[in-house]
Amino acid sequence: MMSKKELWPMVASPVVLGIESSCDETGAGLVRDGVLLGHAVASSMDEHARFGGVVPEIAARAHVHAVAPVVQEALDRAGLGLGDIGAVSVTTGPGLSGALQVGVAAAKGYAFSLGVPLYGVHHLAGHVAAATLDGGPLPDPCIVLIVSGGHTSLLLVRDLARDPIVHLGDTLDDAAGECFDKVARILHLPYPGGPAIDRAARDGDPKAVRLPRPLSGPNDPPYAFSFSGLKTAAARWVEAQRAAGGEPHVPDAAAALQEAIADTLTRKAVRACTDHGIDTLVVVGGVAANSRIRALTEQRCAAAGITLRVPALRLCTDNGAMIAAIGDLLVRSGAEPAPMNLSIDPSAPLEFAALTPLAAARAA
């Protein structure tokens, strides 16, 4: 006699297409049941490099040209067609307004034409979800350190798809990625500054330049960050070297800056875990690709008996796979889809994974 499972086999979750266009990467990914099936990314970074930063109008135009080919490339890599897509998720904020508009318009087009549900998601929640694509579901609870170009935050995360995200601490001014970019410019290193600092630091001595550890005193907020003063201290050291008639030793300056940022991030993250009795730390975002941050976090987590989860390098920077991953979690949690008047929120706070501002509500 056949079992009920054989008579009524479980229906698999739908394939979720994720679209990311918040800054200068156009990403598309396909995820089902927590498994990454395929993804593709097109970057306009080279077009921005000569300006020393992202130009919003250039980014938006690049997304217009790239989004359809990137979606098709992700489908090809997954061995799927458009008809296999069962849901669409898209970054609706935060990010550059024009860039977000392109992604949301594309997602609406795919969802409407295919007759599938649409989900608006928070970009930073996508970064957190990227960690599930390698190691499976995140433990409930866990501490999450987000380090990216515009955001540095320590979070307490429970059920990512259902529960509110608790902010333990955020940056009070510059994010870690901004500090890397600004000091790299002072050192005449190319944009983006993070990878350039990482490369230069390989030949430097991190103890050659004394730089502060921001908000590390006994009376400072334990989980808050501030990198503006660190940037200023590095800039003043460079100015002093040039005023004395010489040029700064770039590898030493890069190594010292990188060490100061890594030391500050990892100390606060590990402290948050121990203070809250949580034994898993998740580190995500573009700056999580930095080699020293990864190495020091591994070292300090091992010493404290904390399990470390960091996405693969290819999933640290902005990509569509992470947006598909959070969309997949929302679908499987039974979350309500977004209506077709879904709009963008370029400065959206991170409160929930789902982000569905509505055009009518914003206009009212």
Side-chain angles (χ1 to χ4, degrees), residues 97-141:
S97 177
L100 290 168
Q101 292 279 15
V102 176
V104 169
K108 287 180 179 179
Y110 284 112
F112 181 77
S113 63
L114 296 171
V116 300
L118 173 69
Y119 296 84
V121 305
H122 198 286
H123 174 79
L124 297 180
H127 275 301
V128 179
T132 69
L133 295 176
D134 285 328
L138 298 177
D140 174 2

Side-chain angles (χ1 to χ4, degrees), residues 270-339:
V270 169
R271 178 177 178 177
C273 289
T274 56
D275 286 354
H276 290 81
I278 294 174
D279 61 4
T280 299
L281 173 64
V282 184
V283 183
V284 299
V287 181
N290 179 272
S291 63
R292 182 55 183 157
I293 291 172
R294 292 172 84 95
L296 191 56
T297 308
E298 288 176 7
Q299 175 186 328
R300 287 181 169 165
C301 282
I306 296 168
T307 299
L308 176 63
R309 295 275 297 270
V310 186
L313 284 172
R314 73 186 191 284
L315 298 177
C316 285
T317 52
D318 294 350
N319 60 83
M322 69 186 199
I323 303 305
I326 195 65
D328 173 65
L329 289 174
L330 290 169
V331 168
R332 289 190 283 141
S333 74
E336 284 292 320

Side-chain angles (χ1 to χ4, degrees), residues 2-344:
M2 297 180 70
S3 68
K4 288 184 178 180
K5 185 174 182 181
E6 291 171 313
L7 287 170
W8 299 292
M10 291 182 65
V11 177
S13 298
V15 173
V16 179
L17 166 66
I19 296 176
E20 156 63 21
S21 68
S22 64
C23 193
D24 58 344
E25 276 100 10
T26 312
L30 296 148
V31 171
R32 179 172 54 199
D33 284 327
V35 177
L36 177 59
L37 306 176
H39 80 111
V41 178
S43 176
S44 59
M45 187 179 296
D46 290 346
E47 299 177 55
H48 305 283
R50 63 194 178 101
F51 299 102
V54 176
V55 180
E57 292 82 1
I58 292 175
R61 285 200 299 270
H63 290 308
V64 170
H65 293 295
V67 65
V70 163
V71 169
Q72 188 58 53
E73 184 179 349
L75 287 166
D76 291 344
R77 290 182 176 181
L80 299 173
L82 282 171
D84 295 308
I85 296 171
V88 178
S89 58
V90 62
T91 301
T92 50
L96 302 173
S97 177
L100 290 168
Q101 292 279 15
V102 176
V104 169
K108 287 180 179 179
Y110 284 112
F112 181 77
S113 63
L114 296 171
V116 300
L118 173 69
Y119 296 84
V121 305
H122 198 286
H123 174 79
L124 297 180
H127 275 301
V128 179
T132 69
L133 295 176
D134 285 328
L138 298 177
D140 174 2
C142 59
I143 297 293
V144 176
L145 172 64
I146 294 180
V147 275
S148 69
H151 303 87
T152 302
S153 297
L154 265 174
L155 312 171
L156 194 158
V157 174
R158 294 191 178 278
D159 185 320
L160 183 58
R162 295 181 175 91
D163 293 335
I165 295 167
V166 178
H167 288 247
L168 302 178
D170 299 283
T171 186
L172 304 180
D173 40 59
D174 286 356
E178 290 176 279
C179 186
F180 275 130
D181 283 340
K182 290 174 179 177
V183 176
R185 189 178 301 123
I186 294 166
L187 292 171
H188 301 154
L189 290 172
Y191 175 85
I197 291 284
D198 201 350
R199 289 191 298 269
R202 294 171 191 166
D203 300 318
D205 176 4
K207 297 180 180 179
V209 183
R210 294 188 63 183
L211 292 176
R213 280 24 178 189
L215 295 183
S216 295
N219 297 319
D220 290 322
Y223 312 128
F225 300 96
S226 169
F227 293 104
S228 179
L230 176 59
K231 169 203 67 182
T232 301
R236 286 178 176 169
W237 180 84
V238 171
E239 290 168 0
Q241 299 297 302
R242 289 173 177 157
E247 277 296 311
H249 189 250
V250 171
D252 284 350
L257 177 75
Q258 183 171 261
E259 190 68 21
I261 291 176
D263 186 21
T264 302
L265 292 172
T266 56
R267 283 185 186 278
K268 287 176 178 280
V270 169
R271 178 177 178 177
C273 289
T274 56
D275 286 354
H276 290 81
I278 294 174
D279 61 4
T280 299
L281 173 64
V282 184
V283 183
V284 299
V287 181
N290 179 272
S291 63
R292 182 55 183 157
I293 291 172
R294 292 172 84 95
L296 191 56
T297 308
E298 288 176 7
Q299 175 186 328
R300 287 181 169 165
C301 282
I306 296 168
T307 299
L308 176 63
R309 295 275 297 270
V310 186
L313 284 172
R314 73 186 191 284
L315 298 177
C316 285
T317 52
D318 294 350
N319 60 83
M322 69 186 199
I323 303 305
I326 195 65
D328 173 65
L329 289 174
L330 290 169
V331 168
R332 289 190 283 141
S333 74
E336 284 292 320
M340 279 295 169
N341 65 340
L342 174 70
S343 64
I344 65 167

